[in-house]
Amino acid sequence: MLEVKDLQVSYGQSEVIGNLAFEVGRNETLAIMGRNGMGKTTLMKALMGILRSRKGSVKLDGKDLTKMESYQRVAAGLAFVPQGRMIFSALTVQENIETGLETADSKTIPDDIFALFPVLHEMRKRKGGNLSGGQQQQLAIARALVSEPKVLILDEPTEGIQPSVIKDIARVLNEIRKTREISILVSEQVLSFTLAIADRLLVIDKGRFIHENRRDQVDAEKIKQYLSV
Amino acid sequence: MGGYTFSELGSIFVMQGFSGLSLFCVYLLMALGLAIIFGQMGVINMAHGEFLTMGAYTTYFMSKLAVDHFPALVGIYFPFAIILGFLIAFGMGYLLEVLLIRHLYKRPLDTLLATWGVSLVLQQVFRSAFGAREVSATLPAWLLGSVKPTETIDIPLNGLFMMGLTLVLSLLVFIFLFRSRWGLKVRATTQNRVMSGGVGINTKKVDRMTFAVGCGIAGVAGAVFTTIASTGPTTGSLYIVDTFLVVVFGGAASLVGTVASAFSIAQAQSVLEFFLTSSIAKVLTLLTVITVIMARPEGLFTIRVRK
C-alpha cells in the first residue's frame, strides 16, 4: 500500500534519516519504535511532505507522492495525526473535524465518527483548545479519519496521555482498521500499546532500522533494551 | 459647557454622535479588511489604505463616465461602482500577494517595510495618473439632502446610506469568516499553517484568496468613502494608522472586537473634538487605548483557550 524507498532526510548538513526503505501492506498496522531523537517524527513529517526529502521515493497504491505538497498527499489518501496533536485550539470541536473534510465528497461529518468518539459529540460546541489531552488526541484522529484515508499515519499518539485513555485509543485504532480496511503506520515508544495494535514492528536507531519482527514473534525484552536510554 | 442650553447640548451630542458614526463606518470598513489580513494572516499591510483609494478613484471615474456620456445612468451607477471597486481592489490584492506578500509570510516585520514601499509607490502612481488635486464623485440625487427629526438636529442622507452599507458588509464578512467553508479554511490556516496542509487544505490558495478579499473590502470602503469626502492620492494613507489602532485595540482575531473598538474610538474622537481641540481629542483617545492595551495586551476581545 505505502511503499518507501531509499528515503533520505537532512536538516542542513546533518542527516537524520539515511536510506530508509519499508512497506506498509494493505490493511496492515506497522509500528516504528525508537527512542527520542532517532528520527521517528522526521520520518513521519517527510512522509507527509512537511519536510522535504533529499533523496528517495514515497509511493501510495502505486502513485508517486514524492514531489507532492502535504494537501495533495492527503488528497491521494494519506492522513496525519501529528505528535502533540496539533488541533486548532480556537476552532470548535466540530469545526476541527470539518477541516478534515476538504478532500471528502460530502462536507458534513459522517455519523460513524461520533459513534467511534462519543465524547467528541458531547463536546462538539466547545473550543478544541479547552479539551483534555486525551480528548484532543481523539479529536486529531477523528479529523484525520474524515478524509477517508487509505493510510493513517500517527506520530506518538500516546505521548502525555493517561493509561486508561491509551487503552481506548488502541481499541479505536483496531476497530478502525477492521471496519474501514485501512493501513496504519504508527510511531511509538510505549511497547504495551504497540503490541495491542501492530502486526509488525520496526525499531529505528539514528535514522536506520536495526530490528524487525512480527507481533507474534516479538522478543519484548530485546525491544525494551533498544528503547531504554 | 460654554453657555449651551440643555437642548442645544442634546442636539450637539446627537449630531456629533452621528458624525462619529460616519467616522466609525470608515474605520470599520477599513478595519474589516485589515482585521482579516493582519488579524488572520499576520501580515502588516501598510498599503491597505491605497486599496481604499483605488475603490474611491474607481467610483470617481464611474461617476465621471456617467455624467459625461450616460446622463441617464447618474442615478444608478453607484452600486456598480461598489462592485467594480471591489473587483479592482481584489485583483490588485491578488497580484500583490502573488508577487510580494507570499514571500514574506515568515517575516511579519518585513511585510511592514515592503508594503509601506508599495504604499508610497501606489500614491505616486495615483498622483501621476490622476493628478494631485482632490476629486469628488458626482453623487446621485437620492444620496443628497438630510433628515431633520427636530429643529436643531440635521442628519445627512449619505451618512445613513454609508451606515446601512457598513452593516451589510460587516454581516457578509462575518458570514464569510464564520459560516462558510472558506472561512473555516482561513481560520485553520492562520492558526496552524503546517497542520492545515496536513489535513488537506491548500494553504497557498487560501492565503491568496484571503489577502485578495481583504483588499477587495477596502475597495468597497473606498467606493463608500466618496459619499462623505473627496478623493486624493493620499486619502487612504490618512486612515491607515487609525485603522491599525482599531484592529489592535479590538483584539486582532476578533470581529466583534473590531466593531466595538472602531465604534468607541470614532465616537470618542468625534464628541471630544467638538468640545476640545482635535489634537487634544487624539491625545485623550490614544492615552485610553494605551491604558487598555497595557491591561489587556491581546485587545478588548480575545478567544480564551488553554495554552
Side-chain angles (χ1 to χ4, degrees):
Chain A
M1 186 50 97
L2 184 69
E3 205 181 329
V4 179
K5 272 192 193 140
D6 295 332
L7 194 70
Q8 201 185 69
V9 189
S10 322
Y11 295 115
Q13 287 297 305
S14 75
E15 179 186 281
V16 181
I17 304 267
N19 296 320
L20 275 190
F22 64 93
E23 210 173 306
V24 188
R26 197 169 292 273
N27 204 12
E28 181 190 39
T29 300
L30 174 67
I32 293 179
M33 307 208 61
R35 288 177 282 135
N36 285 339
M38 291 300 134
K40 296 190 299 296
T41 297
T42 304
L43 170 62
M44 299 302 186
K45 284 185 175 170
L47 291 179
M48 280 312 295
I50 293 168
L51 291 174
R52 288 267 150 238
S53 52
R54 177 171 286 188
K55 230 177 71 180
S57 72
V58 180
K59 278 185 185 162
L60 177 66
D61 225 358
K63 197 174 179 185
D64 192 6
L65 306 183
T66 318
K67 298 260 179 294
M68 287 186 182
E69 304 240 11
S70 297
Y71 76 95
Q72 293 167 318
R73 295 187 192 216
V74 175
L78 289 186
F80 186 41
V81 179
Q83 184 171 28
R85 308 177 277 274
M86 303 278 171
I87 54 136
F88 303 111
S89 55
L91 303 191
T92 65
V93 169
Q94 179 161 350
E95 286 172 335
N96 261 284
I97 303 176
E98 281 168 357
T99 58
L101 291 168
E102 187 64 13
T103 55
D105 298 330
S106 153
K107 299 293 179 213
T108 48
I109 302 169
D111 293 336
D112 57 340
I113 291 295
F114 287 130
L116 271 174
F117 306 102
V119 66
L120 296 183
H121 188 259
E122 261 168 59
M123 306 225 166
R124 65 190 184 284
K125 302 265 184 253
R126 290 230 215 147
K127 294 263 183 283
N130 293 336
L131 266 52
S132 73
Q135 290 162 345
Q136 288 188 358
Q137 186 66 61
Q138 298 185 27
L139 179 55
I141 295 174
R143 180 181 65 182
L145 273 184
V146 289
S147 68
E148 284 160 22
K150 295 172 185 160
V151 177
L152 179 63
I153 298 176
L154 301 102
D155 193 5
E156 296 211 31
T158 63
E159 189 197 32
I161 290 173
Q162 56 158 323
S164 70
V165 181
I166 291 181
K167 273 187 193 151
D168 272 353
I169 291 175
R171 182 184 52 75
V172 165
L173 287 180
N174 280 326
E175 196 177 320
I176 292 166
R177 186 175 65 137
K178 212 162 36 185
T179 54
R180 301 188 164 230
E181 298 191 343
I182 61 174
S183 311
I184 297 176
L185 174 65
V186 57
S187 81
E188 254 313 326
Q189 299 203 47
V190 179
L191 187 59
S192 59
F193 174 77
T194 311
L195 291 177
I197 59 168
D199 302 307
R200 197 153 56 94
L201 282 82
L202 288 168
V203 178
I204 192 172
D205 190 86
K206 299 201 176 87
R208 282 160 221 282
F209 291 133
I210 51 167
H211 181 80
E212 176 175 0
N213 224 329
R214 301 199 56 79
R215 172 172 51 182
D216 39 27
Q217 300 155 354
V218 156
D219 180 352
E221 281 312 306
K222 194 168 177 194
I223 290 184
K224 268 186 191 154
Q225 225 169 42
Y226 285 130
L227 294 179
S228 63
V229 183
Chain B
M1 286 230 174
Y4 295 109
T5 68
F6 189 70
S7 81
E8 275 172 347
L9 264 185
S11 300
I12 287 168
F13 269 110
V14 171
M15 284 193 288
Q16 282 310 114
F18 190 81
S19 92
L21 280 180
S22 299
L23 191 62
F24 159 65
C25 291
V26 178
Y27 282 169
L28 184 56
L29 285 170
M30 280 272 280
L32 282 176
L34 207 63
I36 297 179
I37 292 171
F38 175 62
Q40 305 287 332
M41 304 171 77
V43 171
I44 302 172
N45 182 17
M46 293 298 285
H48 198 71
E50 275 55 54
F51 287 95
L52 176 134
T53 314
M54 269 178 223
Y57 272 118
T58 307
T59 313
Y60 166 68
F61 281 107
M62 287 284 278
S63 89
K64 204 163 146 52
L65 190 71
V67 171
D68 291 354
H69 300 286
F70 309 101
L73 299 181
V74 172
I76 53 161
Y77 81 88
F78 204 77
F80 298 101
I82 292 178
I83 295 169
L84 194 66
F86 177 84
L87 290 178
I88 287 178
F90 181 92
M92 291 300 288
Y94 193 91
L95 214 63
L96 183 63
E97 205 277 349
V98 172
L99 295 178
L100 182 70
I101 306 290
R102 72 184 162 117
H103 303 294
L104 300 172
Y105 282 124
K106 287 173 187 142
R107 297 143 65 186
L109 284 179
D110 293 356
T111 61
L112 188 149
L113 279 178
T115 54
W116 190 45
V118 170
S119 153
L120 294 178
V121 170
L122 284 174
Q123 282 177 35
Q124 190 53 47
V125 168
F126 296 145
R127 201 170 285 125
S128 306
F130 310 133
R133 272 169 76 185
E134 301 215 332
V135 294
S136 303
T138 311
L139 294 179
W142 51 270
L143 272 177
L144 303 172
S146 61
V147 188
K148 266 187 178 262
T150 74
E151 196 58 34
T152 44
I153 296 177
D154 203 34
I155 293 188
L157 276 178
N158 53 7
L160 283 176
F161 173 74
M162 186 157 91
M163 239 172 271
L165 226 122
T166 309
L167 192 73
V168 171
L169 205 67
S170 309
L171 270 175
L172 282 179
V173 170
F174 181 84
I175 291 168
F176 171 78
L177 265 184
F178 293 97
R179 294 285 178 273
S180 79
R181 175 111 201 123
W182 259 109
L184 182 67
K185 288 196 275 193
V186 170
R187 286 178 295 142
T189 303
T190 49
Q191 268 191 54
N192 192 331
R193 195 169 298 267
V194 171
M195 196 54 229
S196 295
V199 296
I201 295 170
N202 183 348
T203 53
K204 287 179 184 160
K205 201 167 137 197
V206 170
D207 287 335
R208 272 200 298 280
M209 283 298 288
T210 311
F211 192 82
V213 167
C215 293
I217 295 170
V220 176
V224 180
F225 183 77
T226 56
T227 63
I228 59 159
S230 51
T231 309
T234 54
T235 297
S237 59
L238 297 177
Y239 288 93
I240 189 73
V241 174
D242 282 339
T243 309
F244 267 111
L245 198 66
V246 165
V247 173
V248 172
F249 182 55
S254 162
L255 220 52
V256 183
T258 305
V259 176
S261 111
F263 183 80
S264 43
I265 290 180
Q267 286 300 343
Q269 293 242 7
S270 178
V271 173
L272 287 177
E273 245 176 50
F274 189 86
F275 294 105
L276 310 163
T277 67
S278 72
S279 36
I280 294 289
K282 196 120 217 165
V283 168
L284 287 178
T285 323
L286 279 174
L287 276 179
T288 318
V289 169
I290 289 169
T291 317
V292 173
I293 296 279
M294 278 168 78
R296 298 178 64 97
E298 288 176 11
L300 283 178
F301 291 75
T302 48
I303 297 167
R304 290 182 184 280
V305 288
R306 34 166 125 174
K307 289 270 147 61

